[in-house]
Amino acid sequence: MSYTTHDLIDILEKELQATCQGQRVLLSSADRLGHPVIAKALDLTKVGKVFAYQDFRSQVHDYQRQYRVSGIVWRDCFFNGDRLSLPELHRSLIAIPGDKEILLSAKKSILNFWRKHTRTMKFWLNGHPHQPLTAAHVQPYIQETEWADLESTQTELILALGWGNPQEYQYQWAYPDSGCYRIIASFQEPSAIKL
């Protein structure tokens, strides 16, 4: 019997706790840093904990690949009393073949939820709070991206439109191969929350 996605998440969380409590340490930290001056400047016990956890997580990722255990988890997004269940790649796991397709297939239902709740709202592209967009401005972003994600606050819906590698799309260094546009819908100017 192979482990499930949730089993692997539990295993990683327990391993992270054990590592933080000092129960796991990699003794060859100085060698792995590859620079003796930096090794002397850092607390090698803490560095050893980081390397120990990274090594363990890498083994879990290998297990995912070997046994085809998905990195996708499902979560609920709530807004104005309405609920949408949507997939996302868990932050500690990797995407295996087929996971990106799950994200792609959810785009339509996410966009339907978004459109239903944002008909009378204003839109902003994250990072440009003083330049409101129209629904027509948002459409090209929707068309050029592969999948969607949704976050909510009490008064705002944040639509994330991603492309490329699901594990890298949120990092600026991955652009332009992978990336994400975040469109904020709000009745007023968007809050100061940086996404």
Side-chain angles (χ1 to χ4, degrees):
M1 179 181 114
S2 65
Y3 292 108
T4 67
T5 301
H6 291 288
D7 292 337
L8 294 181
I9 291 167
D10 289 342
I11 290 167
L12 283 168
E13 286 177 6
K14 288 175 184 169
E15 185 65 19
L16 182 59
Q17 288 175 354
T19 302
C20 290
Q21 293 170 356
Q23 298 171 8
R24 312 282 192 277
V25 177
L26 187 69
L27 299 176
S28 61
S29 300
D31 297 337
R32 291 194 55 189
L33 284 172
H35 198 287
V37 175
I38 293 175
K40 287 183 182 184
L42 297 174
D43 181 343
L44 292 181
T45 303
K46 290 180 181 176
V47 172
K49 290 178 183 180
V50 171
F51 284 138
Y53 182 73
Q54 284 179 340
D55 288 352
F56 186 83
R57 191 174 65 182
S58 178
Q59 291 174 12
V60 169
H61 295 168
D62 289 344
Y63 183 90
Q64 278 186 265
R65 285 183 202 97
Q66 181 179 354
Y67 293 98
R68 300 186 50 83
V69 180
S70 174
I72 297 290
V73 293
W74 290 81
R75 67 173 175 82
D76 291 330
C77 179
F78 296 92
F79 193 74
N80 284 345
D82 205 357
R83 178 181 69 86
L84 176 68
S85 185
L86 59 144
E88 69 180 4
L89 180 63
H90 190 274
R91 69 186 177 283
S92 297
L93 299 176
I94 60 167
I96 63 163
D99 281 354
K100 186 173 179 179
E101 288 71 23
I102 294 170
L103 298 174
L104 297 173
S105 68
K107 183 177 179 181
K108 183 177 179 180
S109 62
I110 292 169
L111 291 174
N112 288 340
F113 187 91
W114 160 268
R115 289 180 178 121
K116 173 183 174 183
H117 290 286
T118 61
R119 287 184 186 125
T120 59
M121 297 174 110
K122 299 174 187 170
F123 306 109
W124 288 266
L125 182 63
N126 189 46
H128 304 286
H130 304 294
Q131 299 174 3
L133 304 172
T134 65
H137 288 116
V138 174
Q139 195 57 34
Y141 294 110
I142 291 171
Q143 290 174 343
E144 73 179 68
T145 55
E146 297 178 275
W147 70 87
D149 192 11
L150 203 56
E151 294 288 337
S152 64
T153 68
Q154 288 191 350
T155 60
E156 297 176 352
L157 268 177
I158 301 101
L159 178 66
L161 298 165
W163 70 89
N165 185 335
Q167 291 165 223
E168 298 175 348
Y169 78 98
Q170 70 272 22
Y171 301 115
Q172 288 183 348
W173 55 261
Y175 186 84
D177 297 326
S178 299
C180 180
Y181 299 117
R182 285 187 169 75
I183 311 295
I184 303 166
S186 178
F187 293 106
Q188 306 296 323
E189 278 200 21
S191 66
I193 297 173
K194 174 137 174 65
L195 300 172

